[in-house]
């Protein structure tokens, strides 16, 4: 079964730790398997990275902003968010995480994060375990 998790983002760009939204779905499924976390959006992404220092999320957004400047893309003529699409394409829409005994096998410092690149919006995160 594929679960839908709705996340309301706050800023134009934002990195949100969504591990606590996913863990109960995997726990309920139990056993061993693979969990897919996927955003069906063209200007958001899923990444796995460190949770302990919130500056890592901000650094990621700064690095993407430096790499992909705003306002110089063909798509900006249509809806003015060309940079957000490029950043989302670089990061990718999903991650796959193995689990065992109903627990995600994330590293000690890893979390699953939703990256908002053209918010604020309500985002749907699709989670499939098993
Ligand atoms: Zn667009």
């Amino acid at each position: 079964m594929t679960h839908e998790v709705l996340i309301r983002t706050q800023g134009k760009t934002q990195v949100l730790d969504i591990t606590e939204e996913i863990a109960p779905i995997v726990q309920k499924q139990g056993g061993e398997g693979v969990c897919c976390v996927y955003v069906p959006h063209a200007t958001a992404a899923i990444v796995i990275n460190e949770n302990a220092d919130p500056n890592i999320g901000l650094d990621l957004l700064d690095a993407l902003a430096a790499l992909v400047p705003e306002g110089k893309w063909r798509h900006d003529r249509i809806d003015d968010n060309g940079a957000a699409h490029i950043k989302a394409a670089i990061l990718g829409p999903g991650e796959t995480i193995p689990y065992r005994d109903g627990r995600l096998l994330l590293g000690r410092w890893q979390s699953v994060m939703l990256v908002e690149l053209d918010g604020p919006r309500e985002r749907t995160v699709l989670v499939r375990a098993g």
Side-chain angles (χ1 to χ4, degrees):
M1 179 182 174
T2 302
H3 298 258
E4 288 191 11
V5 178
L6 298 179
I7 308 276
R8 164 63 60 181
T9 63
Q10 310 286 319
K12 167 92 172 150
T13 61
Q14 187 180 14
V15 177
L16 289 108
D17 187 337
I18 58 167
T19 311
E20 294 306 312
E21 318 293 326
I22 298 161
I25 295 168
V26 172
Q27 190 173 33
K28 195 171 176 191
Q29 180 72 19
E32 190 169 24
V34 174
C35 177
C36 297
V37 182
Y38 175 80
V39 279
H41 302 290
T43 55
I46 298 290
V47 301
I48 295 175
N49 214 288
E50 181 178 319
N51 50 18
D53 180 2
N55 281 326
I56 290 177
L58 296 173
D59 284 344
L60 174 64
L61 295 174
D62 285 352
L64 287 167
L67 195 64
V68 187
E70 298 268 345
K72 55 174 283 185
W73 309 104
R74 292 172 187 85
H75 180 71
D76 291 337
R77 289 177 230 144
I78 296 170
D79 67 357
D80 200 29
N81 65 356
H85 287 283
I86 295 166
K87 293 172 187 176
I90 290 169
L91 297 177
E95 293 284 357
T96 304
I97 310 136
Y99 64 88
R100 186 190 300 136
D101 300 326
R103 289 186 56 235
L104 291 167
L105 296 177
L106 291 166
R108 180 176 174 188
W109 302 110
Q110 287 181 313
S111 282
V112 183
M113 307 199 187
L114 169 66
V115 184
E116 174 60 77
L117 297 163
D118 191 30
R121 299 191 195 207
E122 183 170 80
R123 298 298 194 174
T124 301
V125 179
L126 300 177
V127 182
R128 171 75 192 243

